[in-house]
Amino acid sequence: MGEENEPQQRRSEDKENAEVAEPPIKEDDAKSSLAVSAEVLKYGSLACLVAQNSSLTLTMRASRIPGADPMPMYLATSAVVACEVVKLFLSAVMLTIEKEGVEGAWKAIQSDILSSFSQNLMILIPSGLYTLQNNLQYFAASHLDPPTYQVLSQMKLITTALLSTVILNKKLSVLQWTAIVLLGIGIALVQTSQGKGLMSSSEDGSLSDAAAEASGSRMFGFIAVFIACCTSGLAGVYLEKIVKQTKPSVWIRNMQLASWGLLVGLMASYFKDYDAIVEGGFFQGFKEIVWVVVALQSVGGILIAVVVKYSDNIVKGFATGLSIVSSATASVWLFSFIFTLQYVLGATIVIVSVYLYSVQPACLAQFFPSSTAPPPPPPPTIPEEEPQKE
């Protein structure tokens, strides 16, 4: 009897194990789920970057327009300092997530920040340049409408490319140089397009006082954007040169930049706005929209890091174009922005040039030989036959 029951018990145990065991995961299903996740991250980062760029430009401009309330205008240096504090906090949070805990994050901070003073000192230069750039952005936003400001900001592509060829000895393809020339033409068209319909002339053909003031304000804004793009390009190229020598976590690098930026920003506040701070306080004029600007500017660095990690240059090129279009469209209702044919033409040239420089589509690259292409391999050598020994 026991021998007859033993096979039945085994069959029942096998049946129970089969019910408990999880079905095997198919390899095709795993690959498809990973592909879907990659696509979600790619296009999700694109949507977030477009929203961040457009919202930052619009809110920064709105925050620099004096309101009807008696509250004084906030200090740009204070906004920059607040932004660096938020960036430092967010970078620390992302580092903690990357290292899977506070203990791992603290060890990374000790080894890469606290124990390497020489590396931190090298970060001071790009951090100071970025701080200057951020202050200039607030000044430019006070003198330029959002669409013009966003198009002119693409000059950083020109300054970065030129400085990369000088400092890093980078070789650009003919297509990239063509894109740079087109970008300069588009920026020139945009800079000279706006305000023509708003500027009135006097009877003798000269500009009225309001028109002259508007023209001068736009020129101040253009100069501020130009200097900001130069400092941004120099800081980016210098930082790239440092990154090639040392490769810490991107969040460690952001913490280093934010720490030095906080120090430089506090020094700028002391020397530039000391009297105003003593009179009205450090956070004078900080309304809700100012905190929105600070938050958007702080999140920008993290979004760029995510885009670089999970996406490519095509996404960044599309993000730039969509940001320009969306901010210009929103400015029609928010700031009574007037489209002109010259602006549309210039903005279109800028969008196309940024796409060509970043993506270098294969359908066009074949007509523009690349200067960075490796030399053709030498022809194979036929070994000489050794004479046979008799």
Side-chain angles (χ1 to χ4, degrees), residues 110-143:
Q110 284 182 319
S111 60
D112 294 331
I113 296 181
L114 301 179
S115 302
S116 54
F117 180 76
S118 59
Q119 291 185 13
N120 289 327
L121 199 60
M122 290 191 298
I123 301 296
L124 175 60
I125 295 177
S127 181
L129 291 172
Y130 280 132
T131 304
L132 175 60
Q133 173 201 349
N134 292 334
N135 281 278
L136 289 170
Q137 285 178 341
Y138 285 97
F139 181 83
S142 304
H143 296 275

mmCIF file of all heavy atoms in Angstrom, residues 110-143:
data_model
loop_
_atom_site.group_PDB
_atom_site.id
_atom_site.type_symbol
_atom_site.label_atom_id
_atom_site.label_comp_id
_atom_site.label_asym_id
_atom_site.label_seq_id
_atom_site.Cartn_x
_atom_site.Cartn_y
_atom_site.Cartn_z
ATOM 1 N N GLN A 110 32.764 62.976 1.072
ATOM 2 C CA GLN A 110 34.069 63.023 1.748
ATOM 3 C C GLN A 110 35.215 62.796 0.778
ATOM 4 O O GLN A 110 36.236 63.494 0.826
ATOM 5 C CB GLN A 110 34.114 61.982 2.864
ATOM 6 C CG GLN A 110 33.342 62.365 4.117
ATOM 7 C CD GLN A 110 33.456 61.318 5.204
ATOM 8 O OE1 GLN A 110 33.401 60.117 4.933
ATOM 9 N NE2 GLN A 110 33.637 61.753 6.440
ATOM 10 N N SER A 111 35.065 61.810 -0.114
ATOM 11 C CA SER A 111 36.173 61.457 -1.005
ATOM 12 C C SER A 111 36.327 62.442 -2.171
ATOM 13 O O SER A 111 37.451 62.749 -2.575
ATOM 14 C CB SER A 111 35.965 60.045 -1.559
ATOM 15 O OG SER A 111 34.748 59.972 -2.290
ATOM 16 N N ASP A 112 35.197 62.941 -2.704
ATOM 17 C CA ASP A 112 35.272 63.768 -3.915
ATOM 18 C C ASP A 112 35.207 65.272 -3.650
ATOM 19 O O ASP A 112 35.576 66.055 -4.531
ATOM 20 C CB ASP A 112 34.121 63.396 -4.866
ATOM 21 C CG ASP A 112 34.253 61.982 -5.402
ATOM 22 O OD1 ASP A 112 35.392 61.508 -5.520
ATOM 23 O OD2 ASP A 112 33.217 61.353 -5.688
ATOM 24 N N ILE A 113 34.734 65.679 -2.475
ATOM 25 C CA ILE A 113 34.603 67.116 -2.195
ATOM 26 C C ILE A 113 35.500 67.539 -1.041
ATOM 27 O O ILE A 113 36.361 68.410 -1.196
ATOM 28 C CB ILE A 113 33.134 67.474 -1.885
ATOM 29 C CG1 ILE A 113 32.246 67.220 -3.111
ATOM 30 C CG2 ILE A 113 33.019 68.938 -1.473
ATOM 31 C CD1 ILE A 113 30.783 67.561 -2.906
ATOM 32 N N LEU A 114 35.319 66.909 0.118
ATOM 33 C CA LEU A 114 36.041 67.357 1.316
ATOM 34 C C LEU A 114 37.514 66.990 1.286
ATOM 35 O O LEU A 114 38.338 67.700 1.875
ATOM 36 C CB LEU A 114 35.374 66.762 2.566
ATOM 37 C CG LEU A 114 33.895 67.120 2.776
ATOM 38 C CD1 LEU A 114 33.352 66.461 4.029
ATOM 39 C CD2 LEU A 114 33.706 68.631 2.833
ATOM 40 N N SER A 115 37.876 65.890 0.618
ATOM 41 C CA SER A 115 39.264 65.416 0.645
ATOM 42 C C SER A 115 40.077 65.843 -0.564
ATOM 43 O O SER A 115 41.245 65.488 -0.669
ATOM 44 C CB SER A 115 39.291 63.877 0.752
ATOM 45 O OG SER A 115 38.611 63.444 1.910
ATOM 46 N N SER A 116 39.487 66.559 -1.508
ATOM 47 C CA SER A 116 40.215 66.960 -2.716
ATOM 48 C C SER A 116 40.023 68.463 -2.930
ATOM 49 O O SER A 116 39.177 68.886 -3.718
ATOM 50 C CB SER A 116 39.722 66.164 -3.932
ATOM 51 O OG SER A 116 38.318 66.282 -4.056
ATOM 52 N N PHE A 117 40.798 69.246 -2.207
ATOM 53 C CA PHE A 117 40.663 70.705 -2.283
ATOM 54 C C PHE A 117 41.102 71.232 -3.641
ATOM 55 O O PHE A 117 40.537 72.207 -4.155
ATOM 56 C CB PHE A 117 41.497 71.354 -1.179
ATOM 57 C CG PHE A 117 41.422 72.846 -1.184
ATOM 58 C CD1 PHE A 117 40.301 73.508 -0.713
ATOM 59 C CD2 PHE A 117 42.473 73.606 -1.683
ATOM 60 C CE1 PHE A 117 40.227 74.895 -0.724
ATOM 61 C CE2 PHE A 117 42.407 74.991 -1.694
ATOM 62 C CZ PHE A 117 41.283 75.632 -1.213
ATOM 63 N N SER A 118 42.101 70.590 -4.255
ATOM 64 C CA SER A 118 42.601 71.086 -5.541
ATOM 65 C C SER A 118 41.528 70.990 -6.626
ATOM 66 O O SER A 118 41.372 71.900 -7.443
ATOM 67 C CB SER A 118 43.843 70.288 -5.958
ATOM 68 O OG SER A 118 43.528 68.903 -6.057
ATOM 69 N N GLN A 119 40.778 69.867 -6.626
ATOM 70 C CA GLN A 119 39.713 69.741 -7.604
ATOM 71 C C GLN A 119 38.608 70.771 -7.365
ATOM 72 O O GLN A 119 38.066 71.343 -8.305
ATOM 73 C CB GLN A 119 39.123 68.331 -7.550
ATOM 74 C CG GLN A 119 40.061 67.248 -8.050
ATOM 75 C CD GLN A 119 39.384 65.897 -8.082
ATOM 76 O OE1 GLN A 119 38.170 65.806 -7.971
ATOM 77 N NE2 GLN A 119 40.176 64.837 -8.225
ATOM 78 N N ASN A 120 38.274 70.989 -6.091
ATOM 79 C CA ASN A 120 37.251 71.990 -5.777
ATOM 80 C C ASN A 120 37.685 73.381 -6.202
ATOM 81 O O ASN A 120 36.863 74.193 -6.634
ATOM 82 C CB ASN A 120 36.948 71.974 -4.279
ATOM 83 C CG ASN A 120 36.198 70.727 -3.863
ATOM 84 O OD1 ASN A 120 35.406 70.201 -4.628
ATOM 85 N ND2 ASN A 120 36.463 70.245 -2.677
ATOM 86 N N LEU A 121 38.967 73.665 -6.077
ATOM 87 C CA LEU A 121 39.460 74.986 -6.458
ATOM 88 C C LEU A 121 39.332 75.192 -7.966
ATOM 89 O O LEU A 121 39.077 76.310 -8.422
ATOM 90 C CB LEU A 121 40.917 75.141 -6.018
ATOM 91 C CG LEU A 121 41.446 76.573 -5.926
ATOM 92 C CD1 LEU A 121 40.631 77.381 -4.929
ATOM 93 C CD2 LEU A 121 42.917 76.569 -5.520
ATOM 94 N N MET A 122 39.485 74.118 -8.754
ATOM 95 C CA MET A 122 39.334 74.238 -10.207
ATOM 96 C C MET A 122 37.889 74.554 -10.588
ATOM 97 O O MET A 122 37.636 75.176 -11.620
ATOM 98 C CB MET A 122 39.786 72.942 -10.885
ATOM 99 C CG MET A 122 41.287 72.701 -10.824
ATOM 100 S SD MET A 122 41.808 71.325 -11.896
ATOM 101 C CE MET A 122 40.906 69.963 -11.169
ATOM 102 N N ILE A 123 36.946 74.127 -9.774
ATOM 103 C CA ILE A 123 35.533 74.373 -10.062
ATOM 104 C C ILE A 123 35.162 75.832 -9.809
ATOM 105 O O ILE A 123 34.134 76.311 -10.283
ATOM 106 C CB ILE A 123 34.654 73.443 -9.209
ATOM 107 C CG1 ILE A 123 34.997 71.988 -9.506
ATOM 108 C CG2 ILE A 123 33.176 73.649 -9.471
ATOM 109 C CD1 ILE A 123 34.687 71.569 -10.911
ATOM 110 N N LEU A 124 35.990 76.568 -9.081
ATOM 111 C CA LEU A 124 35.672 77.954 -8.749
ATOM 112 C C LEU A 124 35.498 78.811 -9.996
ATOM 113 O O LEU A 124 34.605 79.664 -10.057
ATOM 114 C CB LEU A 124 36.773 78.535 -7.851
ATOM 115 C CG LEU A 124 36.660 80.019 -7.503
ATOM 116 C CD1 LEU A 124 35.368 80.303 -6.759
ATOM 117 C CD2 LEU A 124 37.870 80.468 -6.676
ATOM 118 N N ILE A 125 36.347 78.606 -11.007
ATOM 119 C CA ILE A 125 36.286 79.447 -12.212
ATOM 120 C C ILE A 125 34.970 79.253 -12.968
ATOM 121 O O ILE A 125 34.249 80.226 -13.221
ATOM 122 C CB ILE A 125 37.505 79.173 -13.116
ATOM 123 C CG1 ILE A 125 38.794 79.593 -12.399
ATOM 124 C CG2 ILE A 125 37.365 79.907 -14.447
ATOM 125 C CD1 ILE A 125 40.051 79.288 -13.178
ATOM 126 N N PRO A 126 34.600 78.030 -13.367
ATOM 127 C CA PRO A 126 33.305 77.906 -14.067
ATOM 128 C C PRO A 126 32.121 78.268 -13.194
ATOM 129 O O PRO A 126 31.122 78.798 -13.698
ATOM 130 C CB PRO A 126 33.263 76.423 -14.472
ATOM 131 C CG PRO A 126 34.209 75.739 -13.566
ATOM 132 C CD PRO A 126 35.289 76.726 -13.271
ATOM 133 N N SER A 127 32.215 78.017 -11.892
ATOM 134 C CA SER A 127 31.106 78.374 -11.012
ATOM 135 C C SER A 127 30.911 79.891 -10.960
ATOM 136 O O SER A 127 29.777 80.387 -10.997
ATOM 137 C CB SER A 127 31.354 77.823 -9.610
ATOM 138 O OG SER A 127 30.290 78.145 -8.757
ATOM 139 N N GLY A 128 32.019 80.635 -10.884
ATOM 140 C CA GLY A 128 31.912 82.095 -10.907
ATOM 141 C C GLY A 128 31.350 82.609 -12.222
ATOM 142 O O GLY A 128 30.550 83.553 -12.245
ATOM 143 N N LEU A 129 31.726 81.968 -13.338
ATOM 144 C CA LEU A 129 31.203 82.373 -14.641
ATOM 145 C C LEU A 129 29.706 82.095 -14.750
ATOM 146 O O LEU A 129 28.946 82.903 -15.285
ATOM 147 C CB LEU A 129 31.962 81.644 -15.750
ATOM 148 C CG LEU A 129 33.428 82.046 -15.950
ATOM 149 C CD1 LEU A 129 34.112 81.118 -16.933
ATOM 150 C CD2 LEU A 129 33.527 83.493 -16.434
ATOM 151 N N TYR A 130 29.286 80.951 -14.233
ATOM 152 C CA TYR A 130 27.852 80.631 -14.249
ATOM 153 C C TYR A 130 27.058 81.596 -13.371
ATOM 154 O O TYR A 130 25.928 81.968 -13.705
ATOM 155 C CB TYR A 130 27.623 79.195 -13.782
ATOM 156 C CG TYR A 130 27.880 78.148 -14.839
ATOM 157 C CD1 TYR A 130 28.656 77.027 -14.561
ATOM 158 C CD2 TYR A 130 27.338 78.272 -16.116
ATOM 159 C CE1 TYR A 130 28.892 76.056 -15.525
ATOM 160 C CE2 TYR A 130 27.581 77.312 -17.087
ATOM 161 C CZ TYR A 130 28.361 76.208 -16.786
ATOM 162 O OH TYR A 130 28.587 75.253 -17.744
ATOM 163 N N THR A 131 27.634 81.999 -12.254
ATOM 164 C CA THR A 131 26.949 82.964 -11.378
ATOM 165 C C THR A 131 26.779 84.309 -12.079
ATOM 166 O O THR A 131 25.714 84.940 -12.004
ATOM 167 C CB THR A 131 27.732 83.143 -10.074
ATOM 168 O OG1 THR A 131 27.916 81.869 -9.446
ATOM 169 C CG2 THR A 131 26.999 84.065 -9.120
ATOM 170 N N LEU A 132 27.830 84.745 -12.785
ATOM 171 C CA LEU A 132 27.729 85.977 -13.572
ATOM 172 C C LEU A 132 26.673 85.828 -14.659
ATOM 173 O O LEU A 132 25.873 86.754 -14.896
ATOM 174 C CB LEU A 132 29.087 86.306 -14.187
ATOM 175 C CG LEU A 132 29.138 87.509 -15.140
ATOM 176 C CD1 LEU A 132 28.712 88.794 -14.441
ATOM 177 C CD2 LEU A 132 30.542 87.654 -15.741
ATOM 178 N N GLN A 133 26.638 84.683 -15.313
ATOM 179 C CA GLN A 133 25.641 84.442 -16.350
ATOM 180 C C GLN A 133 24.225 84.525 -15.788
ATOM 181 O O GLN A 133 23.342 85.131 -16.404
ATOM 182 C CB GLN A 133 25.859 83.060 -16.967
ATOM 183 C CG GLN A 133 24.778 82.640 -17.944
ATOM 184 C CD GLN A 133 24.717 81.139 -18.139
ATOM 185 O OE1 GLN A 133 25.603 80.415 -17.700
ATOM 186 N NE2 GLN A 133 23.676 80.668 -18.793
ATOM 187 N N ASN A 134 23.995 83.941 -14.619
ATOM 188 C CA ASN A 134 22.654 83.964 -14.032
ATOM 189 C C ASN A 134 22.208 85.381 -13.693
ATOM 190 O O ASN A 134 21.039 85.745 -13.890
ATOM 191 C CB ASN A 134 22.627 83.092 -12.778
ATOM 192 C CG ASN A 134 22.783 81.619 -13.096
ATOM 193 O OD1 ASN A 134 22.458 81.173 -14.189
ATOM 194 N ND2 ASN A 134 23.307 80.858 -12.148
ATOM 195 N N ASN A 135 23.129 86.197 -13.193
ATOM 196 C CA ASN A 135 22.787 87.596 -12.905
ATOM 197 C C ASN A 135 22.465 88.362 -14.183
ATOM 198 O O ASN A 135 21.543 89.183 -14.213
ATOM 199 C CB ASN A 135 23.931 88.267 -12.153
ATOM 200 C CG ASN A 135 23.952 87.927 -10.675
ATOM 201 O OD1 ASN A 135 23.236 88.519 -9.869
ATOM 202 N ND2 ASN A 135 24.776 86.947 -10.304
ATOM 203 N N LEU A 136 23.229 88.094 -15.244
ATOM 204 C CA LEU A 136 22.976 88.767 -16.516
ATOM 205 C C LEU A 136 21.647 88.342 -17.124
ATOM 206 O O LEU A 136 21.001 89.127 -17.834
ATOM 207 C CB LEU A 136 24.122 88.477 -17.489
ATOM 208 C CG LEU A 136 25.456 89.155 -17.177
ATOM 209 C CD1 LEU A 136 26.566 88.597 -18.064
ATOM 210 C CD2 LEU A 136 25.349 90.665 -17.349
ATOM 211 N N GLN A 137 21.212 87.113 -16.862
ATOM 212 C CA GLN A 137 19.930 86.661 -17.386
ATOM 213 C C GLN A 137 18.782 87.487 -16.825
ATOM 214 O O GLN A 137 17.843 87.839 -17.550
ATOM 215 C CB GLN A 137 19.726 85.184 -17.054
ATOM 216 C CG GLN A 137 20.544 84.240 -17.913
ATOM 217 C CD GLN A 137 20.339 82.791 -17.521
ATOM 218 O OE1 GLN A 137 19.873 82.492 -16.421
ATOM 219 N NE2 GLN A 137 20.697 81.878 -18.402
ATOM 220 N N TYR A 138 18.842 87.802 -15.529
ATOM 221 C CA TYR A 138 17.787 88.636 -14.934
ATOM 222 C C TYR A 138 17.818 90.044 -15.527
ATOM 223 O O TYR A 138 16.768 90.649 -15.759
ATOM 224 C CB TYR A 138 17.969 88.700 -13.418
ATOM 225 C CG TYR A 138 17.547 87.446 -12.701
ATOM 226 C CD1 TYR A 138 18.477 86.477 -12.355
ATOM 227 C CD2 TYR A 138 16.211 87.218 -12.373
ATOM 228 C CE1 TYR A 138 18.098 85.311 -11.703
ATOM 229 C CE2 TYR A 138 15.816 86.068 -11.727
ATOM 230 C CZ TYR A 138 16.766 85.123 -11.393
ATOM 231 O OH TYR A 138 16.378 83.969 -10.758
ATOM 232 N N PHE A 139 19.008 90.568 -15.778
ATOM 233 C CA PHE A 139 19.105 91.897 -16.385
ATOM 234 C C PHE A 139 18.542 91.884 -17.803
ATOM 235 O O PHE A 139 17.801 92.793 -18.202
ATOM 236 C CB PHE A 139 20.568 92.351 -16.404
ATOM 237 C CG PHE A 139 20.775 93.717 -16.999
ATOM 238 C CD1 PHE A 139 20.585 94.858 -16.232
ATOM 239 C CD2 PHE A 139 21.154 93.863 -18.327
ATOM 240 C CE1 PHE A 139 20.768 96.126 -16.781
ATOM 241 C CE2 PHE A 139 21.337 95.117 -18.880
ATOM 242 C CZ PHE A 139 21.141 96.256 -18.099
ATOM 243 N N ALA A 140 18.880 90.853 -18.575
ATOM 244 C CA ALA A 140 18.378 90.764 -19.944
ATOM 245 C C ALA A 140 16.870 90.587 -19.975
ATOM 246 O O ALA A 140 16.188 91.133 -20.853
ATOM 247 C CB ALA A 140 19.059 89.599 -20.676
ATOM 248 N N ALA A 141 16.329 89.812 -19.020
ATOM 249 C CA ALA A 141 14.879 89.613 -18.979
ATOM 250 C C ALA A 141 14.130 90.897 -18.690
ATOM 251 O O ALA A 141 12.941 91.010 -19.015
ATOM 252 C CB ALA A 141 14.535 88.562 -17.920
ATOM 253 N N SER A 142 14.799 91.871 -18.104
ATOM 254 C CA SER A 142 14.163 93.155 -17.834
ATOM 255 C C SER A 142 14.073 94.029 -19.082
ATOM 256 O O SER A 142 13.306 94.999 -19.102
ATOM 257 C CB SER A 142 14.935 93.911 -16.745
ATOM 258 O OG SER A 142 15.039 93.141 -15.562
ATOM 259 N N HIS A 143 14.857 93.719 -20.119
ATOM 260 C CA HIS A 143 14.931 94.584 -21.296
ATOM 261 C C HIS A 143 14.484 93.906 -22.593
ATOM 262 O O HIS A 143 14.420 94.576 -23.632
ATOM 263 C CB HIS A 143 16.370 95.078 -21.481
ATOM 264 C CG HIS A 143 16.865 95.939 -20.355
ATOM 265 N ND1 HIS A 143 16.638 97.291 -20.284
ATOM 266 C CD2 HIS A 143 17.549 95.623 -19.225
ATOM 267 C CE1 HIS A 143 17.174 97.782 -19.184
ATOM 268 N NE2 HIS A 143 17.728 96.793 -18.518
#
